[in-house]
Amino acid sequence: FTLGDCAPLLARHPGLARVLTAADVPGRNGFGVYPDIKDQPVFCDGLVRYRGDCIAALVGSRAAVEAVRFEELPLSWEVLPALTEPQAALAGPLLHARWAENVLATGRLRQGDAEAALAASAFTAEGSFETSFVEHAYIEPEAGWAQVVGDRIEVFATTQAPYMDLDEVAGVLGIPQDRVRIIPSACGGGFGGKLDASVQPMLAVAAWLLRRPVRAVWTRPESMASSTKRHPARITARAGCDAEGRLTGFAFEGLYDTGAYASWGPTVAGRVPVQAMGPYRVPAVATRARAILTHQPPSGAFRGFGVPQAAIAQEALWDRLADAAGLDRLEFRLRNALRAGDATATGQVLTHSVGLVACLEALRPRWHALREAAAARNAAAGPRRHGVGIACMWYGIGNTGMSNPSTMRVTLGKEGVTFHNGAVDIGQGSTTILLQIVAEALGLPPADINLVLYDTDLTFDAGKTSASRQTFVSGRAAQEAALALRRQILLRANAGGDARLELRAGILHVDGRPLPLEETLEGIGRFDPPTVPLDADGQGVPYATYGFAAQLAALAVDMELGTVHLERIVAAHDVGRSINPTLVEGQIHGGIAQGIGLALMEEYLPGRTENLHDYLIPTVGDVPEIECLLIEDREPLGPFGAKGIGEPALVPTAPAIFSAINHATGAWITKAPALPHRVLAAIREARR
């Protein structure tokens, strides 16, 4: 494209102050989540790679900016052929010269001889599966403001990763990081979509150049056109078991459409092969996932980093193998479930907090009761057929085989006890959870503790809010910080370890005696989960701990219309320790709602479903009764035994729903979402 002279545009709209383009970026005109990949431009310089790319920013009064019609911009375009499918992109022209065959990243895992194991198996199953783009649909679109304060820039914006934003803003402006301050807003949902920078770089450039405060709010269509999505996946998988139903081998190949820019594609490609076989003992494994560049919206982080797509494939194969071996589907999973003492396909021996068997045992009575009820209802005539499905999951908490530390600070001074918490709460309740942990470790009620929340000038780096890591990682760091402060307090008071702390009128008392303070005391805690980087065959210790779960879905399918009516979901989750059961159940309910969207209705089509009228998300009428069963197999590394729940809540929902559709109809769903026309097509295929 070519952007011509904008002077006439500025003259026609006196309220416009400036039109910013690539030439105006003071530093690096590129950003991204990896230190060595800054491939997404703040403003495109002559080449647009997807329809949500930003080519310029109009800066001025709100009325002036909104008065400009797109047709007024002096733009000329040359439309080039677009690569919209991963298979075509593998053989097409390069989107970026750096990546051959448009393969951004490849992850793999090899253990044993999967091909030989499959060939020798008593029963085998295979299938091809496809998932779609999914939109995060957070309640609050991208928004923020920026201002220059002295020789520094301050950016206030919706984000899950303030310290990553700090790096990006400093790079884009070409200034040292200590001249940047990021203040996260109260975040109206993120789900991974606010890990990438959005408005932050352009706001920073505008405020820096104009030397005046600048704000921006993306409209919903702008947000949906430009923001990252869940990776569409094209998966082929094969699995085998012996005559007793014990798994023998698993092979997996996944093409993940990572869109026009890297975003979190390498992370997805790295995580999927490690977890593609699910939480089961499989002696021989060969898995590969590739993130492929296309001219589609960037696919980034979305509650599960590619694992929900893989779970759809793996759990369908387990159902087929269980049926072939003549085993109950729950019993088949129980027979193969990972237990403490087992080694995973990466060679990691699981020693603690492996609660999948307990999850399945908790579901067993509901499973049999719901299956019997479905059989009784199916005995009656009518177009509806009833089914009950099951699916399991595991999810590694934190980054895959790499450092992801958190640092926390708790102080005692004239203002009382203050918790300096840098972990951004995006609606999951981490602020409450971490405060509870600090209060418990200190021995004070939460109401006695002041909060200073996520601000790069006022709090340490707690790491990004992603990978279900904040309760486990930041929670442990917060516990260590509080314990460190408590030790100092007890030392000053010459008190024993079981001493009672109490705040009265702002003065701390230890065993009833006031503690004189001459200076502020502080406790600093840091925790980085112990992992071992993966080698070329995926061997190592990718995660210090895992979440485990099993879910049941009971539903009815209208055999004439293809519509699916959910009736009940039962979710058993091993959370280590439930610090706040209400918040844990809230996460499970929210994750299941998003899993329902992935399974039955959400399909983002670029240029066609860029609003919340044409793009459907589950509402209260789409979510059935949910029963949560909290399993507490404590994790020794976690704060008071806790581990994460954010992403685990979503992963098994869609495969459980597809399992139930198969039980009801005999049809296998191989493309998500299972829209009515796809369900009818699958039913016709099953009848043939």
Side-chain angles (χ1 to χ4, degrees):
F1 73 90
T2 301
L3 181 63
D5 183 10
C6 292
L9 179 68
L10 295 170
R12 285 195 303 273
H13 298 275
L16 283 183
R18 192 156 175 181
V19 178
L20 297 176
T21 67
D24 296 305
V25 178
R28 179 191 65 233
N29 185 28
F31 62 91
V33 300
Y34 301 97
D36 62 329
I37 304 177
K38 305 298 180 186
D39 60 335
Q40 187 162 358
V42 182
F43 304 114
C44 292
D45 190 7
L47 178 65
V48 170
R49 292 184 174 88
Y50 82 111
R51 62 178 275 104
D53 258 331
C54 183
I55 59 173
L58 307 182
V59 188
S61 68
R62 178 171 183 168
V65 169
E66 292 180 347
V68 177
R69 292 175 292 108
F70 184 79
E71 295 76 15
E72 292 183 74
L73 299 175
L75 274 171
S76 59
W77 298 92
E78 178 189 358
V79 179
L80 303 174
L83 300 172
T84 58
E85 291 291 335
Q87 286 286 8
L90 286 169
L94 299 183
L95 272 79
H96 303 267
R98 177 175 175 179
W99 291 292
E101 298 181 307
N102 289 315
V103 178
L104 170 70
T106 300
R108 55 175 277 182
L109 189 154
R110 297 285 185 275
Q111 184 190 60
D113 189 336
E115 291 300 324
L118 289 168
S121 298
F123 303 102
T124 59
E126 62 182 89
S128 296
F129 305 86
E130 184 177 347
T131 68
S132 305
F133 282 112
V134 184
E135 158 70 21
H136 296 86
Y138 22 70
I139 196 170
E140 167 205 51
E142 291 76 3
W145 54 261
Q147 64 180 355
V148 175
V149 179
D151 67 345
R152 304 179 78 220
I153 186 82
E154 292 185 352
V155 180
F156 176 92
T158 178
T159 180
Q160 296 178 232
Y163 274 85
M164 293 176 66
D165 289 354
L166 186 150
D167 294 344
E168 299 312 308
V169 168
V172 164
L173 295 184
I175 61 176
Q177 293 182 4
D178 62 7
R179 292 173 63 186
V180 178
R181 180 183 187 184
I182 304 294
I183 309 168
S185 68
C187 190
F191 317 116
K194 292 176 180 175
L195 286 170
D196 298 74
S198 56
V199 296
Q200 296 92 319
M202 60 184 70
L203 281 171
V205 170
W208 192 254
L209 296 179
L210 273 66
R211 297 286 155 166
R212 56 191 289 191
V214 179
R215 66 175 179 172
V217 180
W218 285 357
T219 65
R220 183 64 63 177
E222 287 172 337
S223 171
M224 293 183 72
S226 61
S227 62
T228 61
K229 303 289 177 278
R230 183 182 293 285
H231 282 76
R234 309 288 187 272
I235 294 169
T236 57
R238 293 176 294 144
C241 68
D242 63 20
E244 286 73 42
R246 290 183 173 81
L247 293 172
T248 54
F250 180 77
F252 175 99
E253 179 74 27
L255 287 182
Y256 282 71
D257 184 347
T258 208
Y261 300 106
S263 184
W264 291 89
T267 297
V268 168
R271 180 180 279 268
V272 167
V274 173
Q275 298 186 221
M277 72 299 299
Y280 308 99
R281 296 188 304 273
V282 189
V285 172
T287 59
R288 183 173 72 159
R290 287 179 287 172
I292 310 300
L293 292 158
T294 67
H295 290 112
Q296 298 280 40
S299 296
F302 191 165
R303 206 169 192 172
F305 284 101
V307 175
Q309 298 94 305
I312 288 172
Q314 105 221 346
E315 292 296 316
L317 295 190
W318 306 150
D319 279 352
R320 298 182 194 188
L321 287 177
D323 294 351
L327 291 173
D328 175 271
R329 292 178 175 183
L330 183 148
E331 297 300 330
F332 179 88
R333 288 168 169 82
L334 195 57
R335 186 164 297 188
N336 292 288
L338 287 169
R339 293 163 165 82
D342 286 339
T344 71
T346 71
Q348 177 181 2
V349 176
L350 303 177
T351 57
H352 301 95
S353 195
V354 188
L356 181 58
V357 169
C359 290
L360 287 165
E361 293 289 1
L363 289 183
R364 192 200 295 268
R366 278 92 167 164
W367 168 253
H368 291 302
L370 290 170
R371 299 273 283 198
E372 290 170 6
R377 296 168 76 182
N378 286 336
R384 286 194 174 189
R385 304 294 296 173
H386 298 268
V388 183
I390 186 170
C392 300
M393 79 94 224
W394 66 336
Y395 195 80
I397 306 301
N399 294 350
T400 305
M402 63 179 65
S403 174
N404 67 138
S406 176
T407 304
M408 290 287 179
R409 179 172 178 249
V410 186
T411 61
L412 172 64
K414 294 180 179 179
E415 71 287 350
V417 177
T418 303
F419 175 30
H420 304 258
N421 173 12
V424 176
D425 192 325
I426 59 173
Q428 82 278 29
S430 64
T431 296
T432 301
I433 294 285
L434 298 181
L435 176 60
Q436 287 182 261
I437 290 169
V438 166
E440 181 73 15
L442 267 178
L444 289 171
D448 285 350
I449 300 173
N450 305 310
L451 285 175
V452 173
L453 295 176
Y454 27 91
D455 179 325
T456 58
D457 271 14
L458 303 178
T459 56
F460 289 126
D461 186 359
K464 54 195 177 296
T465 298
S466 69
S468 305
R469 60 178 292 282
Q470 290 296 22
T471 295
F472 177 56
V473 182
S474 290
R476 174 65 183 274
Q479 182 183 27
E480 295 297 329
L483 291 174
L485 178 60
R486 180 177 172 86
R487 285 193 295 271
Q488 290 194 54
I489 291 169
L490 299 183
L491 183 64
R492 292 293 182 96
N494 195 26
D498 59 350
R500 181 172 54 86
L501 305 189
E502 185 181 10
L503 269 174
R504 299 183 206 158
I507 298 174
L508 185 71
H509 290 67
V510 182
D511 283 338
R513 302 190 305 274
L515 179 70
L517 274 183
E518 298 177 358
E519 75 279 345
T520 297
L521 303 180
E522 73 171 5
I524 294 176
R526 185 180 187 274
F527 180 62
D528 191 359
T531 60
V532 176
L534 302 180
D535 65 17
D537 287 325
Q539 299 301 297
V541 179
Y543 312 103
T545 191
Y546 297 80
F548 293 88
Q551 291 184 5
L552 305 181
L555 52 77
V557 180
D558 191 308
M559 302 293 283
E560 296 173 355
L561 301 177
T563 52
V564 177
H565 305 270
L566 295 174
E567 296 174 339
R568 190 179 183 194
I569 291 177
V570 186
H573 281 261
D574 167 24
V575 299
R577 166 84 183 278
S578 179
I579 301 291
N580 187 313
T582 299
L583 288 177
V584 171
E585 291 197 15
Q587 282 292 86
I588 294 172
H589 279 244
I592 287 171
Q594 285 189 315
I596 291 169
L598 170 65
L600 297 179
M601 64 185 68
E602 294 193 49
E603 184 171 28
Y604 175 82
L605 302 172
R608 293 172 55 189
T609 58
E610 290 170 351
N611 58 72
L612 294 180
H613 172 76
D614 297 306
Y615 182 85
L616 301 180
I617 62 174
T619 66
V620 66
D622 301 300
V623 179
E625 175 191 353
I626 298 172
E627 180 184 4
C628 297
L629 306 174
L630 302 186
I631 307 301
E632 296 186 299
D633 191 337
R634 297 194 178 195
E635 168 52 57
L637 288 174
F640 301 105
K643 53 189 181 182
I645 184 60
E647 284 150 301
L650 177 145
V651 175
T653 304
I657 290 171
F658 293 162
S659 174
I661 292 173
N662 171 258
H663 179 231
T665 68
W668 295 104
I669 299 299
T670 58
K671 181 170 183 179
L675 301 175
H677 70 281
R678 292 177 184 151
V679 174
L680 287 176
I683 291 172
R684 287 194 294 269
E685 177 67 22
R687 285 173 172 168
R688 283 198 294 269

